[in-house]
Amino acid sequence: MSPAHRPVRFGVVVFPGSNCDTDAHHAIGTFPGAGAQFLWHKDTDLAGVDAVILPGGFSYGDYLRCGAIARFSPIMQAVRDFAADGGLVIGICNGFQTLVESGLLPGGLLRNMGLKFVCRYVNLRVENADTPFTSTCDEGDLLRIIVKHNEGNYAVDAETLARMNANGQIVLRYADASGALTDEANPNGAVENIAGICNDTFNVFGMMPHPENSVEAAMAGGADGRRIFQSMIDTVLQRAEVAS
Amino acid sequence: MNVRVHVTPKKGILDPQGATVERALPNLGFEGVSEVRIGKFIEFRLDPQGKTAEQAKAEVDEMCRKLLANPIIEDFTFAIDEG
């Protein structure tokens, strides 16, 4: 089997307190061309996976700050090395929080502006479709995906934000049904309605909403989350093709 | 040594908890309150292990930067006293 035709392997990192890990594992299993395996937080290597998912949940009880302790798990050194080599890493919700705490993504995630846990569907406007995580989308597309978090209020200093905007690192923003970036559409007060961002090499991606909960059309809410994972699968396959 | 660390939301970053408390206090008749910031207080004992005060201070500063606070979104101050 040529490398381009083997299933794309996703590693889902399991921290103590992760609770969207099985959802992520299940979601990947719905793609014929992909498979998922769990990676324990005490592991020191990634078992040769093609892409890494840091799942949602409450790693280490959200003690101190969300993601602050998970960052020191043995597996995170392997994730850092993998990312430095260009490997695809997606952090969802608590996984996003862990990526900003690790310094793999800029900025930080504060408590929601409304001081309440939010659990609802949001519209995500694709701001950059030229990334390994959104390549199956077009710029301006709206993805309807759920958010469920208490600390999703993205904050970053003005200088870094300007640089991220100029680089196209702002990948997803909260929008209303018409695609307008309104305050009402912003569930947590995130600066400039930011819902998802990439690092400056576009191989590390964090998003507060949960694409793994929107992968089956028969389920309420639809299957818009598939486009994120399909983009990652396509990217891995394209890279394998180029390398072979 | 006793170490006391205060962590607060970084200046310039909105603190929704602080803003809510700031609005609540006048409702109870307490006037003149402004710039409420809600953060964390962390205390611990540090065995000096022969370190000078200067070295201990540098070490606590590093602890704050690496773990106790997230300098991207938080400010911190600390005090160390003998005993």
Side-chain angles (χ1 to χ4, degrees), chain A residues 107-202:
Chain A
L109 289 150
L110 307 174
R111 191 148 177 207
N112 294 345
M113 193 65 82
L115 300 176
K116 286 197 175 76
F117 188 97
V118 290
C119 182
R120 64 168 157 111
Y121 280 94
V122 292
N123 296 299
L124 302 172
R125 195 175 82 183
V126 177
E127 304 290 276
N128 184 352
D130 190 20
T131 81
F133 307 91
T134 50
S135 58
T136 59
C137 308
D138 289 317
E139 204 177 301
D141 278 358
L142 291 181
L143 310 180
R144 188 163 176 270
I145 291 179
I146 206 163
V147 290
K148 39 178 179 174
H149 61 246
N150 197 45
E151 285 89 4
N153 177 355
Y154 184 75
V156 66
D157 66 274
E159 196 184 311
T160 308
L161 180 59
R163 197 167 59 238
M164 291 167 73
N165 270 312
N167 289 346
Q169 288 172 253
I170 314 298
V171 179
L172 300 171
R173 293 187 207 265
Y174 302 109
D176 69 13
S178 74
L181 306 176
T182 62
D183 286 345
E184 293 71 34
N186 184 343
N188 52 36
V191 62
E192 295 189 359
N193 286 38
I194 290 173
I197 59 166
C198 265
N199 62 345
D200 59 8
T201 47
F202 293 93

Side-chain angles (χ1 to χ4, degrees), chain A residues 8 10 27-28 31 34 51-53 88-92 124-129 131-138 141-146 171-173 195-198 204-215 223-236:
Chain A
V8 174
F10 283 76
I28 297 304
F31 289 85
V52 172
I53 301 177
L88 297 188
V89 178
I90 179 173
I92 300 165
L124 302 172
R125 195 175 82 183
V126 177
E127 304 290 276
N128 184 352
T131 81
F133 307 91
T134 50
S135 58
T136 59
C137 308
D138 289 317
D141 278 358
L142 291 181
L143 310 180
R144 188 163 176 270
I145 291 179
I146 206 163
V171 179
L172 300 171
R173 293 187 207 265
I197 59 166
C198 265
V204 179
F205 176 55
M207 63 187 289
M208 286 312 298
H210 289 262
E212 78 280 17
N213 292 142
S214 294
V215 292
D224 286 355
R226 295 192 75 77
R227 297 165 75 181
I228 304 288
F229 298 117
Q230 189 63 57
S231 301
M232 295 177 71
I233 292 167
D234 291 355
T235 302
V236 170

Side-chain angles (χ1 to χ4, degrees), chain A residues 64-65 68-69 71-72 100-101 105-115 153 155-156, chain B residues 7 9-10 13-17 20 40 42 64-74:
Chain A
L64 193 62
R65 292 177 308 279
I69 313 290
R71 166 193 167 196
F72 296 99
V100 294
E101 281 286 339
L105 288 174
L109 289 150
L110 307 174
R111 191 148 177 207
N112 294 345
M113 193 65 82
L115 300 176
N153 177 355
V156 66
Chain B
V7 181
K10 203 180 177 85
I13 280 185
L14 253 162
D15 173 15
Q17 284 191 89
T20 302
K40 294 188 188 89
I42 301 165
C64 290
R65 283 175 199 288
K66 284 196 170 163
L67 178 64
L68 302 181
N70 176 349
I72 294 168
I73 51 173
E74 293 170 326

